């Protein structure tokens, strides 16, 4: 059975609270929002992983006495 | 600052809306303690005004329990991360949302948020954001929704009105 998503509507003029189903438009917006956050988190994690890989590579090259790339040096020198 | 309405959910709901907000205050403050039923790793609170979700822009800064920090602008109605079913049991996220000059009819509406997702793991997060609703309409209703799942039973949200130069009870001139 499909869950019916609802919203609690609080009327500030009366204090009355009612529960109503979300509209089709609200459900569509929700899906858009969910996908946007997933994409944002995926991009953030990818950027974090890229930076970590650069730092790891830079550290290994320093220990081995090898030249660093510009991107690797940028992770160590401000 | 004066309480306008406060509700604690007796049954789960995906969205909470305050309607017929009185125009007698200068600013609005929303304080909420929320948790989502979602099992997604990351779920956030989204803000809407007058049932509108268009013409929003925002910039937010965050710090994570993993040590990661950063900024983003992709979530234009962002009002904080939400605790989810993955987090420590019975913990709730907390957010405060400030909306100045909400009754104006000639200017766009700004808002700022300060939030924390509390859990005993690296997924915890704190964030601040600054946003703009590029619409001149006076704000008469505010919506908060979970990007996934429902707000759990026990989630609480309170709407306060602020009068400039006063404590909400005593008005200065």
């Amino acid at each position: 059975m499909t869950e019916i998503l609802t919203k609690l509507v609080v009327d500030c003029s009366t204090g009355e609270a009612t529960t109503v189903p979300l509209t089709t438009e609200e459900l569509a917006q929700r899906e858009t929002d969910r996908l946007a956050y997933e994409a944002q988190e995926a991009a953030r994690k990818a950027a974090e992983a890229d930076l970590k890989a650069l730092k790891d590579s830079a550290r290994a090259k320093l220990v081995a006495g090898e030249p660093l790339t510009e991107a690797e040096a940028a992770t160590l020198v401000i | 600052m004066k309480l306008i309405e406060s509700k604690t959910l007796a049954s789960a709901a995906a969205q909470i809306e305050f309607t017929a907000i009185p125009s007698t205050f200068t600013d609005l403050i929303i304080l909420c303690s929320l948790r989502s039923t979602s099992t997604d790793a990351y779920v956030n609170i989204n803000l809407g005004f007058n049932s509108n979700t268009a013409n929003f822009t925002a910039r937010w800064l965050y710090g994570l329990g993993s040590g990661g920090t950063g900024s983003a602008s992709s979530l234009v109605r962002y009002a904080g991360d939400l605790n989810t079913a993955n987090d420590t049991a019975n913990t709730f996220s907390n957010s405060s949302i400030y909306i100045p000059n909400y009754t104006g009819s000639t200017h766009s509406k700004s808002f700022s948020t300060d939030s924390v997702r509390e859990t005993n793991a690296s997924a915890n997060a704190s964030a601040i954001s600054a946003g703009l609703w590029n619409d001149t309409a006076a704000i008469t209703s505010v919506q908060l929704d979970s990007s996934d799942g429902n707000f759990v039973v026990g989630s609480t949200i309170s709407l306060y009105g602020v009068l400039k130069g006063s404590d909400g009870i005593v008005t200065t001139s």
Side-chain angles (χ1 to χ4, degrees):
Chain A
M1 192 172 73
T2 305
E3 180 187 18
I4 297 175
L5 294 171
T6 61
K7 69 174 170 180
L8 180 72
V9 181
V10 182
D11 186 328
C12 295
S13 66
T14 63
E16 185 182 359
T18 54
T19 301
V20 299
L22 292 187
T23 65
T24 304
E25 291 76 16
E26 287 168 336
L27 289 169
Q29 182 63 51
R30 222 174 112 80
E31 181 63 7
T32 300
D33 293 338
R34 188 182 69 78
L35 293 174
Y37 201 25
E38 275 188 9
Q40 149 67 29
E41 281 306 312
R44 182 186 64 75
K45 285 180 177 175
E48 268 188 13
D50 289 348
L51 180 61
K52 183 177 185 309
L54 273 175
K55 285 186 170 181
D56 288 348
S57 175
R59 191 175 294 115
K61 285 183 177 178
L62 278 174
V63 171
E66 298 173 3
L68 276 59
T69 65
E70 177 65 31
E72 289 166 345
T75 67
L76 304 174
V77 181
I78 297 173
Chain B
M1 191 163 104
K2 187 176 180 182
L3 180 67
I4 298 173
E5 278 294 337
S6 181
K7 292 294 175 195
T8 298
L9 293 186
S11 57
Q15 187 181 108
I16 301 169
E17 179 178 32
F18 287 111
T19 64
I21 296 172
S23 60
T24 48
F25 298 96
T26 311
D27 306 338
L28 296 174
I29 296 175
I30 299 168
L31 300 180
C32 46
S33 172
L34 303 169
R35 180 182 173 99
S36 172
T37 58
S38 175
T39 55
D40 278 7
Y42 294 95
V43 180
N44 70 300
I45 307 165
N46 285 305
L47 193 60
F49 297 138
N50 299 356
S51 298
N52 263 289
T53 56
N55 301 321
F56 280 80
T57 52
R59 166 65 69 177
W60 47 290
L61 310 174
Y62 60 84
L64 305 174
S66 62
T69 58
S71 66
S73 58
S74 54
L75 305 175
V76 295
R77 299 184 293 116
Y78 180 86
D81 273 35
L82 269 175
N83 275 54
T84 71
N86 300 314
D87 295 335
T88 305
N90 303 317
T91 55
F92 287 67
S93 69
N94 295 286
S95 288
S96 68
I97 303 162
Y98 198 88
I99 309 165
N101 300 316
Y102 71 103
T103 60
S105 57
T106 58
H107 63 274
S108 300
K109 308 300 181 298
S110 64
F111 60 93
S112 57
T113 72
D114 188 341
S115 62
V116 61
R117 172 189 181 181
E118 178 54 61
T119 185
N120 188 23
S122 62
N124 67 359
S126 62
I128 54 174
S129 73
L132 183 77
W133 181 44
N134 190 14
D135 194 305
T136 57
I139 293 172
T140 57
S141 70
V142 173
Q143 299 78 38
L144 282 103
D145 57 86
S146 167
S147 63
D148 192 62
N150 284 307
F151 295 126
V152 303
V153 171
S155 292
T156 299
I157 180 167
S158 302
L159 174 67
Y160 295 86
V162 177
L163 274 175
K164 60 184 176 186
S166 83
D167 60 2
I169 298 169
V170 180
T171 304
T172 59
S173 59

